[in-house]
Amino acid sequence: MATFARPENALKRAEELINVGQKQEALEALHSFITSRRYRAWTKTHEKILFKYVDLCVDLRRGRHAKDGLIQYRSICQQVNINSLEEVIKHFMQLATERAELARSQAQALEEALDVDDLEADKRPEDLMLSYVSGEKGKDRSDRELVTPWFKFLWETYRSVLEILRNNSRLEALYAMTAHRAFQFCKQYKRTTEFRRLCEIIRNHLANLNKYRDQRDRPDLAAPESLQLYLDTRFEQLKIATELELWQEAFRSIEDIHGLMCMVKKTPKPSLMVVYYAKQSEIFWISSNHIYHAYCWLKLFSLQKSFNKNLSQKDLQLIASSVVLAALSVPPFDQSYGASHMELENEKERRLRVASLIAFDVEPKPENREVLSRASLFSELASKGVMTCVTQEVKDLYNILEHEFLPLDLAIKAQPLLTKISKLGGKLSSASSVPEVRLSSSVPEVRLSQYVPALEKLANLRLLQQNVESEGLRDHLATFAESVSRARIMIYPPVKSTSKLGETLSDLVEVVEKEHKRLLARKSIIEKRKEEQERQHFEMEREEEAKRQKLQKITEEAEQRRLASEFEQMKNQRILREIEERELEEAQALLLEAEKRRTKRGKKPVLEGEKITKQHLMELALTEQLRERQEMEKKIQKLAKTLDYFERAKRDEAAPLIEAAYQLRLAEEEALHEREQKLEIELSRQRHAGDLEEKRRLSRMLENKRLFQASVVSRRETEFNRIQSEREERINQIIQSRKQEREAKRKMIYYLRSEEERQKRLLEEEEARKREEMERKKKEEAERKAKLDEIAEKQRQRERELEEKERQRREELLGRSNAVPARHTVPSTMAHPAEAAPVAPASAAASPAKYVPRFKRTSAEAGVPAPPPETDKWTSGRSSDDQTSQQNDRWRDDRRSAFGGGGGGGPRSTWSSRNRG
């Protein structure tokens, strides 16, 4: 390891190595300088060295070196200049981001280049084999090799920075900024795997923060600034999880927010609670938990109504309608029917946990926990006045589905309302009055159409429940189904016909089944291999993580032991010093208080300040307090007795005055009652007289009223009769037209069926004719084949006779040839195979079990001479004898063709003529 006298020398040496192209050596030199314990006093040169060190780490993509260097630099500048570490880390992240963006801009196919499931995984064996076997060196592979390493390095940068900045109260803002940038990285490039790991990393950091409470520079969550940073990070995590559609991770983020607030026993601002319940409603809607979704909308309604002063009536109606429709979408039956006791207990515990998340109780008590239900939800809707804010369509639909009994008209009345409701919704127009939050960004877009399928299911369920509950309609559905089934069988009787295609392709089904089974087996094998690869990858990753954590734990334990010993010493000293100071302050306070009391009473202090002790002063103070308390109690008793006497005397004096006032008031009310009674009688007489005068005046028009009434009634009766006759005539016309249509339809159906039967009959006749024609042709072919076989048998018989004659003639010739001299015997014997060659076709033709082609029979009967035999070393010296033998053979062949061979012409011509006939 290189040693330098001054930090400037290390920086100069690194620049020299960089200028000659030795960046790796320059990085090692700076790394040895940073990790050395000789240079622990921070200077400005250290910051320059770290900037250069970070540049080299980014250029060479050395993430672990960068992490080691930043950890060492943190220990150097932690107590001196922590802002320097912040600047270096910002520069490090900026460089990594720029290089990743540069690589991304150079690649033309980003999606293919980033098609990697896990940035921390190494290359798979099949990818290595493909790179060696295939000759592909094109754009895809170059992009993958160019872009993916830089994005992997950027991801490692975020992880390292979060690990360095964790649990540091001086760098909380930088920690939150790094987490936000990492979230945006995962969102921009759809890195779901890395997002899950990032959430787990932040979750572990908070857990360690609560576990180790005695650490130095530990963030204090009770501080408003720290709590707000942690909350902003968790809410950003929740937003990104919902945008990436990682609903399970989003729900865990909800639990993180709730757990964080339970630690500090506080409730977030209304602006954050709006986001909390908005995202929670999306999660529960995706997971089909309609009861929790409805409760979240109810919480949003309460928040908007309470804190949003600019909320318009239209927006309030939309939110209230969403609450009611979400509540109606909850199934009105228990979905856990038939579950075991253990499953019911687990489900109950899960519901209680979700209920605490929705209620956001930072101090939950077991006795106050209750399970959310549909009935309690509707009772809360009624108590909070939600039904008074909804639209008229939603209110009518609620009454139809929940309160009215309309088994026959429910569908007719509910369908128009559902159609109108599906057209309602949209973005809310009013802005939120909550600071730093606008309503359009907090509350999701109100889409009432999403509740229509669930409401249709509820309407069907209510309809079936009211048919079932009615005595007169209980069995009508089953009777109607049986009648419809019988009518269908009568109109369309089942056709029992065998499929020719099934008979022809009977083996195809077996082949398809075998192929299907083979594909299923192959799929299962592939799945097992994938699972095995994933398991191995997970095991390797877990082992590496365990090793890393073990090493990190050892390092942290050593550092913690050192810090603990130093902290313990400082703590003991501080405690002793604080005890002494506190005792001195308490003694001085007691002395001052005693002096003030004695000075106030005009008494002089008994003791001097330098002669008293803390214990003596405390005893004096307690004695003085006891005496003062006794004097105060005596004063209070005396004052109470005085007040009692005064109150009794006051009541004795007031009693006769109250009685006199009562009698006076009674007399006044009797006189008032008599005056009002007389006035009412006079007014009644005047009204009666006026009514009699009005009756007399109107009695003159009674006859005219009767005449007018009769004329109106007669006119309306005439109009009613006319309209009724027109209606009956129109109904008769409609009935006649429908009869004609039914008659025409029946005729058309009869014609179509007749035509179909005729076509079917013609088709069957055509098929029968074809079958007869094929049978006739087969029969003729069989007869012709039998005749040909008979002719061939006769021909073979005739050939056998000729063969017998030829054999006899040959025996005669062989008998005469025995008299020839011995010197001619050998050549004739040697030529015998050549002589027998023309006879072979004849003997082959004479075989009754084998068919001989015509051209072979023709050549055999015509007596074609065989080629001369091949000479060898045994017969090379006898050329004259061979010539004589060949001439004799030729003479015998001529004789055979003249005597025996000519006889074969007759049968051959006869057979040929028969074939032609």
Side-chain angles (χ1 to χ4, degrees):
M1 180 178 66
T3 57
F4 304 97
R6 298 166 53 195
E8 291 80 0
N9 296 342
L11 181 61
K12 183 178 179 181
R13 177 59 179 168
E15 290 176 351
E16 292 174 354
L17 292 172
I18 293 172
N19 292 332
V20 296
Q22 297 181 0
K23 292 185 177 181
Q24 182 64 37
E25 288 74 8
L27 178 64
E28 294 296 336
L30 292 180
H31 183 73
S32 63
F33 170 79
I34 294 171
T35 56
S36 176
R37 294 191 175 274
R38 293 182 58 187
Y39 315 102
R40 287 296 175 181
W42 183 86
T43 61
K44 191 65 176 178
T45 309
H46 281 78
E47 185 175 347
K48 296 179 181 179
I49 290 174
L50 257 295
F51 276 113
K52 183 64 67 176
Y53 180 78
V54 165
D55 293 341
L56 290 174
C57 290
V58 173
D59 288 339
L60 300 176
R61 291 205 297 267
R62 296 291 187 269
R64 295 188 180 277
H65 281 73
K67 183 178 179 180
D68 284 343
L70 290 174
I71 291 174
Q72 297 295 331
Y73 190 63
R74 179 186 64 182
S75 62
I76 293 174
C77 65
Q78 176 74 30
Q79 305 297 332
V80 181
N81 189 3
I82 195 64
N83 294 328
S84 176
L85 176 62
E86 183 176 354
E87 295 297 326
V88 172
I89 289 177
K90 287 182 179 179
H91 179 67
F92 178 39
M93 290 193 295
Q94 184 65 27
L95 280 179
T97 305
E98 290 177 356
R99 295 301 296 269
E101 290 295 333
L102 180 61
R104 177 175 175 268
S105 62
Q106 292 176 355
Q108 298 181 359
L110 174 61
E111 295 181 359
E112 298 177 359
L114 291 179
D115 190 13
V116 180
D117 293 334
D118 191 354
L119 291 177
E120 297 184 4
D122 296 331
K123 290 186 177 180
R124 298 178 296 176
E126 52 266 29
D127 295 337
L128 294 174
M129 292 179 63
L130 180 63
S131 63
Y132 291 132
V133 176
S134 63
E136 181 188 6
K137 293 294 182 183
K139 183 176 178 300
D140 296 340
R141 187 176 299 172
S142 63
D143 289 344
R144 183 182 296 274
E145 294 175 354
L146 176 65
V147 178
T148 304
W150 280 111
F151 277 86
K152 183 176 180 180
F153 178 75
L154 180 59
W155 164 244
E156 291 179 352
T157 300
Y158 289 136
R159 287 193 58 176
S160 301
V161 171
L162 289 174
E163 191 69 23
I164 294 169
L165 300 179
R166 65 184 181 92
N167 303 340
N168 196 324
S169 59
R170 300 186 180 185
L171 297 173
E172 288 177 337
L174 183 58
Y175 179 85
M177 184 196 73
T178 306
H180 282 253
R181 293 182 65 172
F183 286 142
Q184 293 299 324
F185 167 78
C186 298
K187 172 188 172 183
Q188 184 178 0
Y189 303 109
K190 302 295 186 296
R191 307 309 308 177
T192 56
T193 305
E194 285 72 25
F195 180 78
R196 292 191 185 94
R197 290 177 178 165
L198 180 61
C199 296
E200 193 64 29
I201 289 170
I202 297 176
R203 201 170 289 122
N204 291 334
H205 289 174
L206 182 60
N208 292 332
L209 179 64
N210 294 323
K211 185 176 180 182
Y212 305 105
R213 295 180 178 271
D214 55 348
Q215 287 184 350
R216 188 175 58 184
D217 299 326
R218 173 184 174 274
D220 185 12
L221 294 179
E225 297 81 6
S226 301
L227 180 61
Q228 189 62 37
L229 288 173
Y230 274 86
L231 275 179
D232 292 341
T233 303
R234 293 306 185 278
F235 275 98
E236 183 68 19
Q237 172 182 330
L238 176 60
K239 292 178 184 178
I240 301 300
T242 54
E243 291 177 3
L244 293 176
E245 297 183 354
L246 299 175
W247 304 112
Q248 186 175 4
E249 198 62 41
F251 183 76
R252 296 186 67 185
S253 302
I254 292 287
E255 291 181 328
D256 292 343
I257 295 172
H258 183 263
L260 180 63
M261 300 313 297
C262 288
M263 291 179 190
V264 297
K265 301 295 188 295
K266 293 182 181 179
T267 303
K269 299 178 181 178
S271 59
L272 296 178
M273 293 304 296
V274 169
V275 179
Y276 178 83
Y277 286 116
K279 298 302 180 183
Q280 205 171 21
S281 66
E282 293 183 24
I283 295 170
F284 289 135
W285 179 257
I286 293 297
S287 60
S288 299
N289 289 321
H290 299 295
I291 180 70
Y292 305 137
H293 173 76
Y295 265 101
C296 291
W297 265 111
L298 181 59
K299 291 289 185 179
L300 283 173
F301 173 80
S302 301
L303 286 171
Q304 293 296 325
K305 192 175 180 180
S306 302
F307 298 98
N308 191 358
K309 299 179 181 179
N310 299 326
L311 189 66
S312 64
Q313 185 65 26
K314 181 180 178 182
D315 294 342
L316 183 62
Q317 279 188 350
L318 281 178
I319 297 175
S321 301
S322 298
V323 175
V324 176
L325 293 179
L328 289 174
S329 300
V330 179
F333 53 85
D334 189 9
Q335 298 180 353
S336 60
Y337 178 76
S340 63
H341 177 72
M342 183 64 69
E343 293 176 350
L344 291 176
E345 289 296 327
N346 293 335
E347 181 66 19
K348 183 179 179 181
E349 185 64 27
R350 187 179 68 86
R351 290 184 178 182
L352 290 174
R353 183 165 59 91
V354 176
S356 65
L357 291 178
I358 295 176
F360 210 89
D361 296 331
V362 294
E363 293 182 359
K365 298 180 180 179
E367 60 272 11
N368 296 333
R369 299 172 67 185
E370 60 178 359
V371 179
L372 305 180
S373 62
R374 195 172 189 267
S376 62
L377 175 60
F378 278 110
S379 65
E380 288 193 29
L381 293 182
S383 63
K384 293 185 178 180
V386 180
M387 297 303 301
T388 60
C389 302
V390 300
T391 59
Q392 187 62 36
E393 292 85 358
V394 176
K395 189 179 297 182
D396 295 341
L397 183 64
Y398 170 76
N399 293 328
I400 290 173
L401 295 178
E402 295 296 326
H403 297 294
E404 297 182 1
F405 183 78
L406 301 169
L408 299 180
D409 299 336
L410 191 145
I412 298 174
K413 291 187 177 182
Q415 188 60 40
L417 296 176
L418 291 176
T419 305
K420 292 180 181 179
I421 289 172
S422 63
K423 297 178 182 179
L424 298 177
K427 289 190 175 293
L428 303 180
S429 59
S430 59
S432 173
S433 63
V434 180
E436 303 177 0
V437 175
R438 294 193 61 83
L439 188 64
S440 59
S441 63
S442 301
V443 180
E445 182 181 357
V446 179
R447 298 188 300 272
L448 301 185
S449 59
Q450 66 181 351
Y451 301 109
V452 172
L455 294 175
E456 290 177 349
K457 292 181 181 179
L458 178 63
N460 293 331
L461 182 62
R462 291 298 187 196
L463 180 62
L464 292 176
Q465 184 179 3
Q466 295 173 5
N467 286 335
V468 174
E469 293 179 357
S470 178
E471 292 292 337
L473 300 176
R474 179 168 296 177
D475 300 330
H476 281 198
L477 286 178
T479 306
F480 177 71
E482 293 176 359
S483 302
V484 171
S485 178
R486 287 196 299 269
R488 183 182 63 81
I489 293 174
M490 293 174 62
I491 296 173
Y492 301 103
V495 180
K496 297 181 180 180
S497 60
T498 57
S499 177
K500 294 183 178 181
L501 182 62
E503 295 177 357
T504 307
L505 304 177
S506 59
D507 297 336
L508 183 60
V509 177
E510 298 179 359
V511 174
V512 171
E513 290 180 355
K514 291 180 180 179
E515 186 66 19
H516 181 63
K517 291 180 180 178
R518 188 182 67 81
L519 292 177
L520 288 177
R522 183 173 179 271
K523 182 180 179 181
S524 63
I525 292 172
I526 292 174
E527 292 294 334
K528 289 180 180 178
R529 289 178 179 175
K530 287 183 178 179
E531 292 176 358
E532 183 65 22
Q533 289 180 358
E534 292 177 358
R535 187 187 63 78
Q536 292 178 358
H537 175 67
F538 179 74
E539 290 293 335
M540 292 174 60
E541 183 179 5
R542 188 172 63 182
E543 291 177 359
E544 292 178 357
E545 186 68 19
K547 292 179 181 178
R548 187 184 64 79
Q549 291 181 356
K550 185 177 179 181
L551 181 60
Q552 181 180 356
K553 185 178 180 180
I554 294 172
T555 306
E556 290 179 352
E557 287 177 353
E559 184 68 17
Q560 287 175 3
R561 284 194 297 270
R562 185 183 64 81
L563 294 175
S565 61
E566 294 179 358
F567 179 76
E568 191 66 25
Q569 294 176 1
M570 296 173 64
K571 182 179 179 181
N572 294 333
Q573 295 175 1
R574 179 174 54 80
I575 290 173
L576 293 175
R577 187 169 61 253
E578 288 178 355
I579 290 173
E580 294 176 356
E581 293 176 355
R582 191 181 303 115
E583 289 180 353
L584 181 60
E585 290 176 357
E586 289 176 356
Q588 292 177 355
L590 290 174
L591 177 61
L592 292 175
E593 187 177 357
E595 289 179 355
K596 287 180 181 178
R597 285 198 299 268
R598 293 185 178 276
T599 304
K600 187 175 182 181
R601 296 174 184 174
K603 298 180 181 180
K604 296 182 180 180
V606 181
L607 300 174
E608 296 296 332
E610 60 269 13
K611 296 181 181 180
I612 63 174
T613 62
K614 175 187 173 184
Q615 186 67 23
H616 194 186
L617 284 175
M618 289 180 67
E619 292 176 357
L620 290 176
L622 290 175
T623 305
E624 187 69 20
Q625 288 177 2
L626 181 60
R627 187 183 60 78
E628 290 178 355
R629 190 180 302 114
Q630 291 175 355
E631 291 178 357
M632 184 61 66
E633 288 178 355
K634 290 179 181 179
K635 289 180 180 180
I636 291 172
Q637 289 177 1
K638 184 177 180 180
L639 180 62
K641 188 178 294 186
T642 304
L643 290 175
D644 188 18
Y645 291 156
F646 178 75
E647 184 66 23
R648 188 180 302 169
K650 185 174 68 173
R651 292 185 181 181
D652 290 341
E653 294 292 331
L657 298 176
I658 293 173
E659 181 65 24
Y662 172 72
Q663 295 297 333
L664 180 62
R665 180 69 179 270
L666 185 63
E668 291 177 354
E669 288 182 353
E670 287 179 355
L672 179 63
H673 177 68
E674 290 178 358
R675 286 196 304 270
E676 289 181 351
Q677 187 71 16
K678 292 178 181 180
L679 181 61
E680 183 65 26
I681 292 171
E682 185 65 26
L683 289 176
S684 297
R685 288 175 180 174
Q686 292 178 3
R687 284 196 297 270
H688 181 66
D691 292 341
L692 291 176
E693 181 64 24
E694 185 70 17
K695 180 180 179 182
R696 185 185 63 76
R697 188 177 65 83
L698 294 176
S699 62
R700 296 176 298 174
M701 296 184 293
L702 183 61
E703 188 64 28
N704 292 332
K705 176 253 183 186
R706 291 175 181 172
L707 294 175
F708 177 74
Q709 182 178 0
S711 64
V712 171
V713 170
S714 63
R715 185 173 66 254
R716 290 184 178 178
E717 185 176 1
T718 304
E719 183 68 19
F720 173 75
N721 293 332
R722 182 182 62 80
I723 292 174
Q724 186 176 10
S725 61
E726 291 178 356
R727 179 174 175 275
E728 292 177 353
E729 183 178 356
R730 187 167 61 255
I731 290 173
N732 292 331
Q733 291 178 0
I734 292 173
I735 291 172
Q736 292 295 329
S737 62
R738 289 183 178 177
K739 285 183 179 178
Q740 292 176 3
E741 290 176 359
R742 286 197 298 271
E743 186 66 25
K745 187 175 180 181
R746 282 196 297 270
K747 289 181 180 180
M748 179 58 69
I749 291 173
Y750 175 75
Y751 171 73
L752 292 175
R753 288 181 179 175
S754 302
E755 185 65 22
E756 185 179 357
E757 290 177 357
R758 189 180 66 82
Q759 293 292 340
K760 186 176 181 181
R761 188 170 59 253
L762 291 176
L763 183 61
E764 290 177 353
E765 292 176 356
E766 181 68 20
E767 291 179 354
R769 187 183 61 78
K770 288 182 179 180
R771 284 197 298 270
E772 292 176 357
E773 182 68 21
M774 290 177 64
E775 290 177 358
R776 185 181 60 79
K777 287 183 178 180
K778 288 181 180 180
K779 187 175 181 182
E780 290 178 356
E781 183 66 23
E783 292 177 354
R784 187 176 66 82
K785 187 176 180 182
K787 290 180 180 180
L788 290 176
D789 291 341
E790 184 181 357
I791 292 171
E793 182 62 28
K794 290 180 179 180
Q795 179 67 20
R796 287 193 293 271
Q797 182 66 26
R798 192 173 293 111
E799 289 176 353
R800 282 196 296 270
E801 293 176 357
L802 291 175
E803 181 65 24
E804 183 64 24
K805 291 179 180 180
E806 179 64 22
R807 186 181 60 78
Q808 294 176 1
R809 185 182 63 79
R810 190 180 301 164
E811 289 177 355
E812 293 176 359
L813 291 176
L814 288 174
R816 284 198 298 269
S817 63
N818 289 331
V820 181
R823 62 186 182 91
H824 296 290
T825 302
V826 175
S828 63
T829 305
M830 296 293 292
H832 183 69
E835 179 184 358
V839 186
S843 64
S847 177
K850 186 177 180 182
Y851 173 73
V852 181
R854 182 178 178 183
F855 71 91
K856 289 186 178 181
R857 291 198 299 271
T858 305
S859 61
E861 293 170 358
V864 179
E870 185 178 357
T871 59
D872 53 10
K873 63 181 181 178
W874 301 104
T875 58
S876 59
R878 304 174 182 177
S879 59
S880 59
D881 296 337
D882 293 340
Q883 292 177 359
T884 305
S885 176
Q886 289 175 3
Q887 290 176 0
N888 294 334
D889 292 338
R890 193 180 301 115
W891 176 77
R892 284 195 292 270
D893 290 340
D894 292 341
R895 285 187 63 189
R896 185 171 67 244
S897 62
F899 292 99
R908 184 174 66 252
S909 61
T910 304
W911 182 72
S912 300
S913 64
R914 288 180 181 176
N915 285 337
R916 287 195 299 272

